[in-house]
Every structure is written in structure tokens, then in C-alpha cells.
Amino acid sequence: MGRTADAIAEGVAIATAATRLAVKNHILVGTIALGGVFDIDKYVEDAREALLSMADESQAAAELVTTLRKRARGRHSDPSSTHDYRDRDVRNLRRRAKQSAGVAARLRAMAEDPDALRELVSGAREA
């Protein structure tokens, strides 16, 4: 595995942990309101929505970095701030965009996988 694959895997791991936490909160509120009754199918849509929301954020990040990369191309002066990118940053910005897009794609795939969604909900319940 290369640096991009590692970064994508790490991004997906962080996003799934955040999804589990969000679903866990929905489960706590839902079971308290329903007198302690848990139905895994009730929370699958919550997991899907959380994953898709994070995928949208990751895709937006990829698009922003792509815009910054295009702006940086051909600029050779010294930067005036941390996010004032230059031509020498183009390669790194391309990698970052690819990583963010990769995370978004993996999260969307998980959101369409019923087994992955049920596994997320089960993990949230155990937590």
C-alpha cells in the first residue's frame, strides 16, 4: 500500500468512527424514547445518512484542494500565508485531492452496502 491508500484507509476509519458515534447517539435517544426497544433496521438509514454526509464533506474538500492547486500552478514567488500555495505545492495538493476523493468514494460505497451499514449499527449498539 502506498501513501495515498494509507491516507484513504485512515480517512475511512475516522469517518466510520464518527458514524458509529452519531448512530450510537441516535440509538440512545431512540431506545430511551421507545422504552429500551432496539431494532437494527431503524438505525440503518441513520448510518447511511451519516456516511453520505461525510462523503459530501470529503468530496467538497477534494474540490477545494483542486481549485487551490489550479491557482498555485505557475506561481513561483514566496507565499504570504500558510494557505497561499505555490507551484512547488502542486504535487502535494494533487495527492490531497486524490485522497479526499478516494475517501468520498469509499464512504459512498459503504453507504450502499447493507452489510456494512448493519455492521456499523451493530458496532454503535455495542459501544
Side-chain angles (χ1 to χ4, degrees), residues 57-126:
E57 285 182 34
S58 191
Q59 188 62 45
E63 291 167 6
L64 174 62
V65 171
T66 297
T67 299
L68 294 172
R69 177 180 53 84
K70 289 177 182 178
R71 189 179 308 151
R73 181 169 277 120
R75 296 177 75 192
H76 298 286
S77 60
D78 288 334
S80 61
S81 69
T82 304
H83 299 290
D84 186 21
Y85 297 106
R86 296 296 187 244
D87 196 75
R88 65 183 166 265
D89 300 311
V90 167
R91 193 170 110 191
N92 184 43
L93 292 169
R94 183 179 295 112
R95 183 181 310 116
R96 286 175 49 195
K98 186 176 181 181
Q99 292 166 348
S100 292
V103 170
R106 293 265 289 284
L107 293 176
R108 284 193 176 90
M110 287 177 68
E112 298 305 317
D113 181 352
D115 293 332
L117 292 171
R118 292 176 71 80
E119 185 178 318
L120 274 170
V121 173
S122 294
R125 181 182 187 201
E126 289 175 20

Side-chain angles (χ1 to χ4, degrees), residues 19 22-23 26-27 42-51 121:
T19 298
V23 174
H26 285 245
I27 291 170
K42 180 179 183 323
Y43 299 101
V44 165
E45 189 57 33
D46 292 334
R48 181 187 335 286
E49 288 175 12
L51 285 172
V121 173

